[in-house]
Amino acid sequence: GVRKREGSGMVRPKKGARDGGGAGHIFAIHRAVFMPLVTSVECVYLLVLLLVKGYTSVTQNNNLGLSEDNLVAFGALDYTKVREDNEYWRILTSWFLHSGVYPILANLAVVLYTGFQLERSWHFFRVLFIYIMSGAIANFTILVFLRGRVSASALYPSVGLLGAALAELLINWAVLRGKLWTTLFLVAQFGLLFFFGFLAFQNNFGTVSALLGGFFAGLFILPYYDIQGSAFWTRLIGLLGLCALLPAQIIVYALDVDVCESCQSWDVKI
């Protein structure tokens, strides 16, 4: 079912703002389906793996989770497996695999408040597009810049949703209310997820690229509330940003170009 109200995303538009659908158009609240489903799959998947395989030592995985061998066996992103064994399905499965208990708790904190709310406001299809684009961009960034790193982080698509929420704030700044608090709240959530990039089997190359991917996807696909403005240039910038991040990195990966030999040394762990 779809309910109606004035408002969208993380904040409410000012009185008189419209979502580009013409005078009198009313903002809709949609039923959140995708984010609850994905979150449930992630939780059940990790729980089953921990019950079957058990926890590894903190020295191997400080996320309170699985060993590297088990993560790779159950779908983590591994450059060698993708490049040499053509296991491209790992680009998708790693979106649903958390490296441990701590990251999934952080992800739940973000998704339960922000993710569900954004899907209710933006609709399933927009959230799905942002989710796919930010997750794919993050994983290809890892494949291009961090060869040899194993990555298991379902946090990246969630980071992409935060980037899209920031994009919505930017393109509709003039007609939105509660902007400052919302901006600070989104930045705080990103800071939480950025911290986990310093832990095992996660990295901030993926985190930052997912944020940028979600931001550009948001510019491209999210509603434009100011009926006196034009969304053409905003959407063009979003499209160009996505092309620079995803197709360009796919080409670099396909050409097997090592663009940054020192990048692995920049991937600091604690």
Side-chain angles (χ1 to χ4, degrees):
V2 176
R3 291 180 293 153
K4 301 292 184 178
R5 74 163 168 113
E6 181 185 345
S8 182
M10 297 295 297
V11 291
R12 296 181 62 188
K14 294 178 181 177
K15 185 177 181 181
R18 297 289 182 264
D19 69 350
H25 192 85
I26 303 174
F27 297 92
I29 298 181
H30 307 274
R31 187 182 302 277
V33 176
F34 177 69
M35 292 307 302
L37 177 62
V38 169
T39 304
S40 299
V41 170
E42 293 172 2
C43 291
V44 171
Y45 191 32
L46 181 62
L47 177 61
V48 170
L49 290 179
L50 290 175
L51 290 174
V52 173
K53 295 296 182 178
Y55 299 90
T56 189
S57 67
V58 177
T59 56
Q60 295 184 42
N61 185 348
N62 52 8
N63 290 298
L64 191 61
L66 301 166
S67 66
E68 179 174 328
D69 289 342
N70 283 327
L71 288 171
V72 172
F74 290 97
L77 187 68
D78 183 344
Y79 178 87
T80 302
K81 293 286 187 181
V82 176
R83 169 66 68 183
E84 298 181 2
D85 299 335
N86 296 320
E87 295 181 359
Y88 292 100
W89 48 267
R90 292 180 179 274
I91 296 172
L92 175 63
T93 56
S94 60
W95 299 352
F96 302 95
L97 179 61
H98 286 278
S99 58
V101 174
Y102 301 147
I104 201 170
L105 291 177
N107 190 62
L108 283 171
V110 172
V111 169
L112 289 176
Y113 181 80
T114 302
F116 288 12
Q117 183 173 340
L118 295 181
E119 184 177 356
R120 287 195 296 268
S121 300
W122 294 348
H123 198 273
F124 161 79
F125 296 106
R126 288 187 177 118
V127 169
L128 179 63
F129 177 78
I130 294 166
Y131 193 93
I132 291 174
M133 293 303 296
S134 55
I137 286 169
N139 278 348
F140 272 102
T141 298
I142 295 167
L143 290 173
V144 169
F145 290 96
L146 294 177
R147 298 183 175 195
R149 284 282 196 269
V150 171
S151 176
S153 181
L155 295 176
Y156 299 142
S158 297
V159 174
L161 291 177
L162 297 181
L166 289 172
E168 183 189 43
L169 282 172
L170 177 64
I171 62 180
N172 297 298
W173 188 264
V175 296
L176 294 177
R177 293 180 289 179
K179 301 180 285 277
L180 179 59
W181 163 249
T182 302
T183 302
L184 293 175
F185 186 65
L186 291 172
V187 170
Q189 291 180 86
F190 174 72
L192 173 65
L193 300 185
F194 188 82
F195 166 77
F196 281 94
F198 295 107
L199 302 182
F201 307 115
Q202 298 175 87
N203 62 80
N204 283 322
F205 281 76
T207 305
V208 173
S209 62
L211 182 77
L212 292 173
F215 179 80
F216 286 121
L219 292 182
F220 178 67
I221 202 173
L222 290 182
Y224 196 88
Y225 305 134
D226 187 356
I227 60 176
Q228 296 180 347
S230 171
F232 174 78
W233 292 109
T234 300
R235 301 200 188 285
L236 179 61
I237 292 172
L239 179 61
L240 293 175
L242 289 176
C243 291
L245 287 171
L246 187 55
Q249 290 194 118
I250 292 175
I251 292 172
V252 171
Y253 171 79
L255 294 175
D256 197 16
V257 178
D258 191 353
V259 296
C260 183
E261 296 181 1
S262 62
C263 281
Q264 293 200 39
S265 64
W266 300 346
D267 184 28
V268 179
K269 299 300 177 187
I270 58 175

